[in-house]
Amino acid sequence: MSQPAGVLTLDSRVRIEEEVVYRDLEGEAVVLNLKTGRYFGLDPVGTRIWQLLPDHSLREILRLLVAEYEAGERQIGEDMLRLMEELRDKQLVRVAE
Amino acid sequence: MVPVSLYGACFNFDSVLSEGLEPGHGAPAAEVRLEAGRPDEGAHWFHQWTTPSGKVWLRAARESAGDYVLQFEDSRFRITAGGEQVALQAEPAALAGARHDLINTVLPMLLNLQGREVLHGSGVLSPLGEAAAFLGNGGTGKSTAAAAMMAAGYQLLSDDALPLIPQNGSIATASGAPEMNLWAQPRRLLGLDQPGLAEAKCLVRPGEAQHRAGQFRLARIYVIEPVAKAARSSLIPLTAAQALMELVRAAHRMDLRDRAMLERQFGVLWRVAESVPARRLIYRAHNPEPTSWAELVEADLRGSWPGALNLQARERDS
């Protein structure tokens, strides 16, 4: 089992935990860790990030979000890292070595 | 053994436990009998449930042979791995409480073990034949909400547990036991109070016209929440994702370690969140006024709650 550890940066490789299931409901999502029973709701931006996570690095996701949303790169980057930390604490994602 | 109907399923009950329940029909989902005490057989205790004050009220174990054990303060249930047999151990003085735990907690968990989902919540039936569910943390007023609706002409479906039965394009629910665990005030409201009953919660049996047995379409889900600074009772629409999280929180599970069950349950709850409109029912924590909840819910079910207009437009456009 991966433990929350290390510092998250835009260069971190974040992966969705294997035992996590996800449902998208009208642009918002709920993710559930089947191993722990812990779950988490994502707003539309969080849902977009979640959908991009499997195939993109955080830096690539940031570039895409900056193009899609009317917010500054720094703000989006900070919000995204905060979300990743929350998801990691709930064992919904892990930071790849 | 007596066949009884609960949560859309038939159970064969020891006759001591079947009093007052609706007669069941069809193949029984499980058989419930009384058993003399016997020692654990390699029990591995894997989960416990606590009250908000931190007191453990239920512990779950799995024996080496695969049976589940559910241990309450005064009773113990042993359930076969497939949920077909339930053996209840309780002293005669504790049997009434054990029966309550059986109906409201053990059978919902057993149904989950068998692939059916049950929510912790109360449910009522509107005069038009539509069911409404009330969910919420312990002590927030699920039974009180059901009683307020009954005082407004609705019928009780279930006081503490509601099954989710997916049908063609909609979700149904079904009745539980014709019993309610009510504080004195709602008991008086329904004419169910009797001299000598405590002010605290007591188990009472609604009149025949106040309860309805059967299976009905689930039209709304309300999540009850006391709010200290709320100006008045109100309904706030929940997004489907918010509703899904509330449903995950309210769903009964026998074994949280069972990933296949969790995935299946998540899928069923997702269907419910998508197809049944859900609202948060907020009330003033220090002045609940359940009558006002009933007025809001009635207006919502009739489609005349102001917020319903926007919701209907959104549901139509999506």
Side-chain angles (χ1 to χ4, degrees), chain B residues 35-295:
Chain B
E35 180 185 73
R38 74 171 180 85
D40 295 339
E41 291 179 1
H44 167 64
W45 296 92
F46 64 85
H47 197 65
Q48 62 185 29
W49 289 261
T50 53
T51 63
S53 63
K55 185 184 175 195
V56 176
W57 66 275
L58 172 61
R59 292 195 303 145
R62 192 140 199 211
E63 292 189 334
S64 49
D67 289 359
Y68 286 97
V69 176
L70 295 177
Q71 176 75 57
F72 294 84
E73 190 173 358
D74 296 322
S75 61
R76 169 177 289 219
F77 296 84
R78 194 164 45 77
I79 300 152
T80 52
E84 309 89 346
Q85 301 279 336
V86 180
L88 160 59
Q89 300 165 23
E91 296 296 324
L95 207 53
R99 178 183 179 278
H100 189 258
D101 292 333
L102 167 70
I103 291 172
N104 294 294
T105 303
V106 176
L107 294 186
M109 293 171 77
L110 178 150
L111 286 171
N112 167 257
L113 186 63
Q114 294 186 345
R116 289 179 267 191
E117 310 310 338
V118 183
L119 298 178
H120 177 207
S122 66
V124 294
L125 187 70
S126 81
L128 296 176
E130 292 190 312
F134 295 97
L135 314 180
N137 293 333
T140 52
K142 298 182 287 293
S143 298
T144 300
M149 298 311 298
M150 291 162 70
Y154 286 57
Q155 290 174 297
L156 176 73
L157 284 177
S158 185
D159 183 35
D160 207 42
L162 280 176
L164 297 168
I165 305 166
Q167 294 183 324
N168 296 334
S170 69
I171 303 295
T173 189
S175 51
E179 299 168 351
M180 299 184 83
N181 206 15
L182 289 178
W183 295 94
Q185 191 181 8
R187 289 200 306 267
R188 286 186 208 113
L189 193 66
L190 296 176
L192 298 174
D193 209 24
Q194 293 166 8
L197 285 186
E199 283 295 307
K201 275 190 166 186
C202 289
L203 198 65
V204 291
R205 185 179 171 81
E208 203 149 297
Q210 291 174 314
H211 176 260
R212 182 75 172 270
Q215 189 168 307
F216 305 92
R217 188 179 82 91
L218 182 58
R220 292 287 190 282
I221 294 166
Y222 298 96
V223 180
I224 305 177
E225 187 178 324
V227 174
K229 291 182 177 172
R232 66 186 74 82
S233 302
S234 60
L235 294 182
I236 298 170
L238 292 180
T239 66
Q242 289 169 329
L244 176 58
M245 285 192 286
E246 297 294 346
L247 291 167
V248 169
R249 208 192 314 265
H252 282 280
R253 298 172 197 95
M254 177 65 86
D255 191 344
L256 195 61
R257 305 165 307 168
D258 182 348
R259 293 188 199 189
M261 175 279 290
L262 278 173
E263 189 153 15
R264 179 203 75 220
Q265 184 180 69
F266 199 53
V268 172
L269 300 180
W270 171 61
R271 273 187 67 185
V272 175
E274 273 201 322
S275 52
V276 183
R279 328 280 192 227
R280 197 174 299 284
L281 197 173
I282 284 173
Y283 68 85
R284 278 192 291 185
H286 301 296
N287 189 9
E289 296 181 327
T291 309
S292 68
W293 312 354
E295 288 166 1

Side-chain angles (χ1 to χ4, degrees), chain A residues 1-5 8 12-20 33 50 53 58 84 87-97:
Chain A
M1 187 174 70
S2 56
Q3 296 294 330
L8 259 165
S12 301
R13 288 178 55 219
V14 176
R15 293 290 171 260
I16 295 170
E17 291 280 9
E18 285 175 8
E19 53 277 297
V20 167
N33 185 324
W50 184 269
L53 262 184
L58 292 185
M84 289 303 118
L87 293 171
R88 183 182 61 177
D89 291 347
K90 290 181 181 293
Q91 294 174 262
L92 297 167
V93 301
R94 65 188 156 78
V95 179
E97 293 302 322

Side-chain angles (χ1 to χ4, degrees), chain A residues 24-28 44, chain B residues 238-241 273-274 314-315 318:
Chain A
D24 183 351
L25 294 141
E26 301 166 1
E28 297 181 66
Chain B
L238 292 180
T239 66
E274 273 201 322
R314 199 177 57 132
E315 283 156 10
S318 62

